[in-house]
Amino acid sequence: MHWSQIYAPAGSIGLSALIAALPVVVLLGLLAFLHVRAHLAALAGLLVAGAVAIFVYGMPPSLAGAAALYGAAFGLFPIGWIILNAIFVYQLTVETGQFAALQNQVAGLSRDRRIQALLIAFSFGAFIEGAAGFGAPIAITGALLIGLGFRPLEAAKLALIGNTAPVAFGALGTPLITLANITQLDLGQLSAMVGRQLPVFSLLVPFWLIAAQAGWRGMLAVWPACLVTGASFALSQFCVSNFIGPMLVDIISAMVSIGALVVLMKFWRPAEIQDSADPAAPPTPVAAPGTSAAKAWVPWILLSVLVFLWGLPAVRARLNGFFAPAFDVPLLHRAVERVPPVVAKPEAEAAVFTLNLLSASGTALLLTGGIAGLCLGLRPARIFQVYLRTFWQVRVSLLTIALMLALGYTTRYSGTDTTLGLAMAATGAFYPFFSPIIGWLGVALTGSDTSSNVLFGNLQKVTAQQLGLSPVLMAAANSSGGVMGKMIDAQSIVVASVVTGGRPDSPDAGTVLRSVFWHSIGLAILVGLLVAAQSYLWPGIVPH
């Protein structure tokens, strides 16, 4: 079966966009306002998306079903695989008492929770994003913050806001490498252009993060730490992206940022320490006898090394060849044709599912847990018990993620996502402002900056050429704007709610979404204003 997408089934892009938005409206409305459980809200959104695809867009039911199953499978591998094993590592460190020692170590740098948030949610999260991506930073930093005694909702919010500026260069530059392949634009120019947009927000986000955590006055009390953390990251991000390339931007910038913050804390301390953000939190656990500082960091050092090695192209290619079988999705592969103006000429979209068994960062997490558990003195049987307990804890969340991704892939292959993008692309002179908003929409719907670049990269290029704008600037804006949608995509919201669950005051997905929604909107608008200024006021900033 072969089916060509249509983008204005209701006769006009405007009316079609209103219909195309129905699945998103249903999902967010049920989550944020009616407090429906996440998996039920996702199921309702999926049913609406399927109905719109079949009855409005004319998508054959067999293709709609195949797209939903494809998305559900991707939700389990690698997304669910990463979450399951990230929580497993956290549970093992709690089981062995190492998290108490880790907490003491971080408190040794500073007992102030604002400094701890900068170190973990922003800098360390950026390192994990650069090496792994795909939800791993939120899962790992959320678990770390909970282990350090942060309130569950606070930990979820900080993990989500912190995971913004690094996303475009995440997973060793995968979003931009994909964008270059899709658009046939120069990778070096795209990397440099994004590196002339995101450093502004790398400098801003630490201030924004602490203001969201502690309020305006609380942020002003630690502004030197925010400045050093953000400025060191932003400067490194600009230099590496412009003079080296996209692959190591996040990893190098995160290491520089962590080092700069550690050095600052040798010479400066906040005048007033905020070390009791949660008076109702359980008392600080006591480290296990014989626990050393080095031993407490074993799981996280091991994780960093494995995730980095897993991400290297040569290693990843070798492992993929043995342990990541790929196969065409039945019924769907090359069956859906994208048409102009999204692409220059009609082309059938591939649908290839890769069963990431060993090459995914989730398996690096699994190996980290197993090796660390043995190193920390646990018997194999006990390690297996912890793993089974972790699986039981996240079973409903894995179902939710599968349903969320099924919804996202249904809207992608049916063309409803593209209808929304085309509605924004019809804004003429205002398009430079809406260009990053399209990227934001793509990430909010698909959960991935890479997927957003696949979905809208060519649309950005074609629209820019029609309006006499720089294709490099508009394509880069898609990726830069997309990072601000990362904190509200369904996948990230579920990950954040899962890793901060398990306590009576743990938030549900709707509560987490409400806590970050306006932060995402505000930052996306600022990206739009920056890109508009670069288009009309500083056109020379575009690399040539």
Side-chain angles (χ1 to χ4, degrees), residues 2-13:
H2 191 80
W3 175 73
S4 297
Q5 291 180 339
I6 55 173
Y7 306 127
S12 70
I13 285 291

Side-chain angles (χ1 to χ4, degrees), residues 264-277:
L264 174 68
M265 299 312 297
K266 300 289 185 181
F267 305 98
W268 173 87
R269 299 280 174 175
E272 181 180 350
I273 302 296
Q274 288 190 5
D275 61 352
S276 57

